[in-house]
C-alpha cells in the first residue's frame, strides 16, 4: 500500500489552499479571518473550486523567493533567466542585473493588469505568500487533512474505535489512492462480544491528527502556514 508523497512546493501550497477552505467554513475562525482579509483577498473565494483550476489563475502569487544557480531554463512567469559572465567584476554586473530585473518586474506587473508606476514597490503584486516551515512534512499534514474532513463530514463524532474503523473503511474503499496512515495499518482486535477495538495508542494518534488539522486551520486563519 503506497503512502502519499507530498514533497513538491506546489503540493505544499495545495495543502495551504485546502486548509484555508476548511478555515473559511469554521465559525470559530471568522474573527481571525476578518483580520487577514486583505492578505487573502488575491486568492478570491476558493470554496467549491478545484485546486488545479484555481492554480491556473493564482499560481503567480507564489513566486520563487531566493537567488540560486539554475541548472535549466525556468519557464515560471515570475522568474527571470540571466546569463552572467564570470570574467567581469561584480561592480560591473550588478547594475546591469538590477536594470534587467526592474524591467522584467514592470513587464510582469503590466501582464497582471497592474500599473507599475502606481505600485508601492515593483515586487508587490506577485510572489507574496510563503511557506513558514524550512522543511515542511507534507505527508502528515495531508493525512491530517483527509482525516479531519472525514471527521467533519461525520458530524464530529467521538474519536473512538468505531470512528477509527469508519475512517479505515472509507480510505480502503476509495476508488483511487488507497492508503492508510501508519497508525491505522494494524486492524482492530475483536473482543469477546464481537466488537472491534483499536489500541489506545491508535486512538491517541487519531486525536493528535485531528488536533493537528485544527491547529493548522487556526494558523491559516491568521495568514500562516503551516502552524
Amino acid at each position: 500500500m503506497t503512502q502519499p508523497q507530498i514533497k513538491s512546493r506546489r503540493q505544499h501550497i495545495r495543502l495551504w489552499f485546502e486548509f484555508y477552505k476548511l478555515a473559511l467554513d469554521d465559525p470559530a475562525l471568522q474573527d481571525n479571518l476578518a483580520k487577514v482579509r486583505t492578505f487573502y483577498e488575491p486568492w478570491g473565494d476558493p470554496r467549491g473550486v478545484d485546486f488545479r483550476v484555481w492554480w491556473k489563475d493564482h499560481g503567480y502569487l507564489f513566486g520563487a523567493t531566493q537567488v540560486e544557480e539554475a541548472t535549466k531554463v525556468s519557464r515560471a512567469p515570475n522568474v527571470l533567466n540571466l546569463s552572467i559572465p564570470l570574467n567581469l567584476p561584480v561592480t560591473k554586473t550588478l547594475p546591469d542585473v538590477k536594470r534587467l530585473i526592474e524591467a522584467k518586474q514592470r513587464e510582469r506587473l503590466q501582464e497582471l493588469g497592474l500599473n507599475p508606476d502606481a505600485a508601492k514597490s515593483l515586487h508587490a503584486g506577485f510572489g507574496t505568500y510563503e511557506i513558514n516551515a524550512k522543511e515542511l512534512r507534507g505527508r502528515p499534514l495531508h493525512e491530517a487533512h483527509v482525516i479531519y474532513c472525514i471527521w467533519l463530514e461525520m458530524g464530529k463524532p467521538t474519536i473512538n474505535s468505531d470512528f477509527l474503523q469508519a475512517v479505515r473503511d472509507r480510505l480502503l474503499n476509495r476508488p483511487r489512492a488507497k492508503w492508510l496512515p501508519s497508525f491505522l495499518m494494524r486492524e482492530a482486535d475483536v473482543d469477546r462480544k464481537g466488537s472491534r477495538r483499536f489500541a489506545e495508542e491508535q486512538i491517541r494518534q487519531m486525536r493528535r491528527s485531528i488536533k493537528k488539522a485544527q491547529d493548522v486551520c487556526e494558523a491559516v486563519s491568521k495568514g500562516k502556514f503551516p502552524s
Side-chain angles (χ1 to χ4, degrees), residues 183-202:
F183 66 88
L184 281 182
M185 295 290 286
R186 175 186 168 187
E187 295 185 19
D189 295 325
V190 180
D191 63 18
R192 294 178 180 179
K193 296 181 179 180
S195 300
R196 294 179 182 274
R197 300 294 179 191
F198 284 90
E200 285 300 318
E201 177 58 26
Q202 290 175 288

Side-chain angles (χ1 to χ4, degrees), residues 164-172 180 184-185 187 198:
L164 267 66
Q165 187 63 50
V167 171
R168 199 173 191 278
D169 291 343
R170 284 202 184 195
L171 293 177
L172 289 177
L180 290 173
L184 281 182
M185 295 290 286
E187 295 185 19
F198 284 90

Side-chain angles (χ1 to χ4, degrees), residues 44-217:
D45 189 345
R47 287 172 289 191
V49 180
D50 183 88
F51 174 77
R52 290 168 294 184
V53 175
W54 180 85
W55 180 258
K56 291 179 181 178
D57 294 327
H58 299 84
Y60 72 88
L61 295 170
F62 303 87
T65 58
Q66 65 183 19
V67 177
E68 56 186 8
E69 183 179 355
T71 57
K72 61 181 180 180
V73 175
S74 172
R75 299 187 182 279
N78 293 333
V79 174
L80 174 63
N81 297 287
L82 297 176
S83 176
I84 301 176
L86 297 179
N87 60 320
L88 294 178
V90 174
T91 53
K92 168 62 178 175
T93 56
L94 283 182
D96 291 339
V97 170
K98 180 175 183 294
R99 175 177 54 80
L100 289 169
I101 290 174
E102 290 180 346
K104 185 63 176 180
Q105 286 174 327
R106 288 180 175 276
E107 177 186 330
R108 186 75 182 107
L109 287 172
Q110 290 173 341
E111 289 175 356
L112 297 172
L114 302 173
N115 182 358
D117 297 324
K120 292 182 180 179
S121 63
L122 291 178
H123 63 78
F126 48 89
T128 57
Y129 299 93
E130 294 307 318
I131 304 295
N132 295 325
K134 291 182 179 179
E135 184 177 351
L136 183 65
R137 297 178 64 220
R139 194 179 79 185
L141 284 176
H142 175 61
E143 291 178 355
H145 175 265
V146 171
I147 290 170
Y148 188 55
C149 286
I150 294 174
W151 185 66
L152 292 175
E153 290 170 7
M154 293 180 63
K156 301 181 180 180
T158 301
I159 302 171
N160 54 21
S161 288
D162 289 341
F163 174 67
L164 267 66
Q165 187 63 50
V167 171
R168 199 173 191 278
D169 291 343
R170 284 202 184 195
L171 293 177
L172 289 177
N173 290 325
R174 293 193 298 179
R176 294 183 297 176
K178 297 179 187 292
W179 56 267
L180 290 173
S182 58
F183 66 88
L184 281 182
M185 295 290 286
R186 175 186 168 187
E187 295 185 19
D189 295 325
V190 180
D191 63 18
R192 294 178 180 179
K193 296 181 179 180
S195 300
R196 294 179 182 274
R197 300 294 179 191
F198 284 90
E200 285 300 318
E201 177 58 26
Q202 290 175 288
I203 294 174
R204 282 194 291 270
Q205 287 273 20
M206 179 64 79
R207 289 177 180 148
R208 283 196 286 267
S209 187
I210 289 176
K211 179 62 166 59
K212 178 62 176 177
Q214 291 173 323
D215 290 344
V216 174
C217 282

